Amino acid sequence: MGTIEGHLLAATFFLFYALYYSVLVSLALLQGQRVLKPPLPPREKQGHRLWQRVPLEGMVKMAIALTGILSEFFYPLGVNRLKMVDWQDPHRPFVFKDSWQHVTMYLFFMLSGVVDIVSQLCLARQSVKLERAAEAMAFYVLVLLMAAHIENKSTLEIRVHILFMVPTFLVALVLNIEVWVPDQPPLWVLKTWMGLVLSTWMLQFSVLMYSPPSGQPWQADNPGDLAFLTIFFCWHLGLGAALLAAIYGLCSLWHHRCSSWTEAPGPSYQPCPTESSGEELDKLAAGATQQDAGI
């Protein structure tokens, strides 16, 4: 992830993941669901075809993480950062620190994908709590690695990464809470909002640090540049909320349109009035009296 391509890969993964959850949360709120994603039925009640039970979310996590690991070790082509210690140096120093930090981050997200697959394919009953715990651990590890990543960095990079750690820690905290207190709509919204913020912010600082649009690199010793970092991050808080609101609005339109399509045409059922003072009930009683008199 020491290149703009590596940062954009991770940022794109987080963004699509946050957008996916934005749609899930919006539909769950519109439909009044008590759970965000209904758990799978027990394995004996599932279909026998394996492709119908493949957990796509876990597979995507593993694929993206594997791509990130390979790019850290072997991108650009011809580079090999696979070694951890320089054995030719008498002091045996560690090498490629940043790459190994990024690889560790990807490994824990890959572990989260493996847990998803094992929980949904191998266990007799899906363990949603185990999946949430593994995902929370991946985000906690990301926060810890970012805290170590800013050592010996410029003031600008330290500020950028600290601002990135704030929404990342909140996502990890929400996932941790959901292990014991699941199915809370306010937590769904907060987790999705912070996911959008951390992904859009990562996209911006990837461009900011490696390819600024102005063509001039940001200056770490310029108070104005540092001040605008925080200003831009606050804008990303608003941008994340606006994206979530826009997705909710689009899902609302789709939900109401589908609801109108599924409504059955024809007369609607109306219950018979049962109150003694009802006009219809009085007419029925009068008719019955006339029939008795005729008899």
Side-chain angles (χ1 to χ4, degrees):
M1 203 189 295
T3 62
I4 185 173
E5 292 85 359
H7 282 82
L8 291 178
L9 173 67
T12 303
F13 164 68
F14 286 130
L15 180 59
F16 277 105
Y17 196 66
L19 292 174
Y20 165 68
Y21 265 89
S22 299
V23 175
L24 286 183
V25 169
S26 298
L27 293 177
L29 294 176
L30 289 167
Q31 296 171 0
Q33 297 177 196
R34 299 186 61 183
V35 295
L36 184 58
K37 290 190 296 184
L40 296 175
R43 189 167 58 180
E44 61 271 11
K45 296 183 179 180
Q46 297 180 14
H48 297 289
R49 296 179 180 178
L50 181 62
W51 63 268
Q52 293 179 335
R53 300 184 290 119
V54 171
L56 293 179
E57 190 173 324
M59 297 295 292
V60 170
K61 287 180 185 178
M62 291 188 61
I64 296 295
L66 181 60
T67 304
I69 291 172
L70 293 177
S71 64
E72 285 295 330
F73 284 144
F74 306 112
Y75 183 83
L77 296 178
V79 173
N80 186 357
R81 306 187 188 92
L82 195 56
K83 65 178 182 179
M84 185 181 295
V85 178
D86 186 1
W87 297 103
Q88 296 180 355
D89 191 317
H91 298 287
R92 304 293 190 269
F94 288 106
V95 293
F96 306 124
K97 172 181 68 70
D98 290 347
S99 295
W100 280 101
Q101 286 178 340
H102 299 150
V103 166
T104 303
M105 176 198 76
Y106 283 123
L107 282 174
F108 275 88
F109 278 100
M110 179 181 287
L111 175 62
S112 175
V114 171
V115 170
D116 290 348
I117 295 174
V118 171
S119 172
Q120 299 175 32
L121 282 183
C122 302
L123 299 184
R125 185 179 295 274
Q126 180 185 6
S127 177
V128 178
K129 291 186 176 182
L130 182 62
E131 296 174 18
R132 290 289 170 271
E135 199 171 11
M137 182 172 63
F139 278 96
Y140 277 130
V141 168
L142 177 56
V143 174
L144 290 174
L145 291 175
M146 289 298 103
H149 194 63
I150 60 178
E151 295 178 358
N152 302 319
K153 300 290 185 179
S154 66
T155 307
L156 182 72
E157 291 186 76
I158 291 174
R159 179 75 59 88
V160 165
H161 285 84
I162 288 177
L163 293 174
F164 175 74
M165 289 162 58
V166 172
T168 306
F169 176 76
L170 289 176
V171 171
L173 184 62
V174 171
L175 288 168
N176 199 355
I177 294 173
E178 286 184 332
V179 174
W180 291 280
V181 190
D183 308 326
Q184 298 295 319
L187 295 180
W188 301 346
V189 176
L190 178 60
K191 176 179 66 176
T192 307
W193 178 33
M194 289 297 103
L196 289 169
V197 172
L198 74 88
S199 56
T200 57
W201 178 244
M202 190 173 187
L203 282 173
Q204 176 167 354
F205 79 68
S206 300
V207 176
L208 182 147
M209 291 193 302
Y210 292 97
S211 181
S214 64
Q216 298 295 326
W218 285 50
Q219 302 297 323
D221 55 353
N222 188 339
D225 289 354
L226 295 177
F228 268 96
L229 274 181
T230 307
I231 292 172
F232 289 156
F233 180 77
C234 294
W235 290 0
H236 279 270
L237 293 174
L239 175 62
L243 280 174
L244 185 55
I247 293 171
Y248 181 85
L250 293 174
C251 290
S252 178
L253 293 174
W254 179 85
H255 175 69
H256 291 304
R257 177 65 61 86
C258 289
S259 299
S260 63
W261 286 346
T262 55
E263 287 180 356
S268 59
Y269 170 77
Q270 294 182 355
C272 178
T274 57
E275 296 182 1
S276 58
S277 58
E279 181 180 353
E280 295 293 331
L281 193 59
D282 292 339
K283 291 180 180 180
L284 291 174
T289 304
Q290 291 176 0
Q291 288 180 359
D292 293 340
I295 295 174

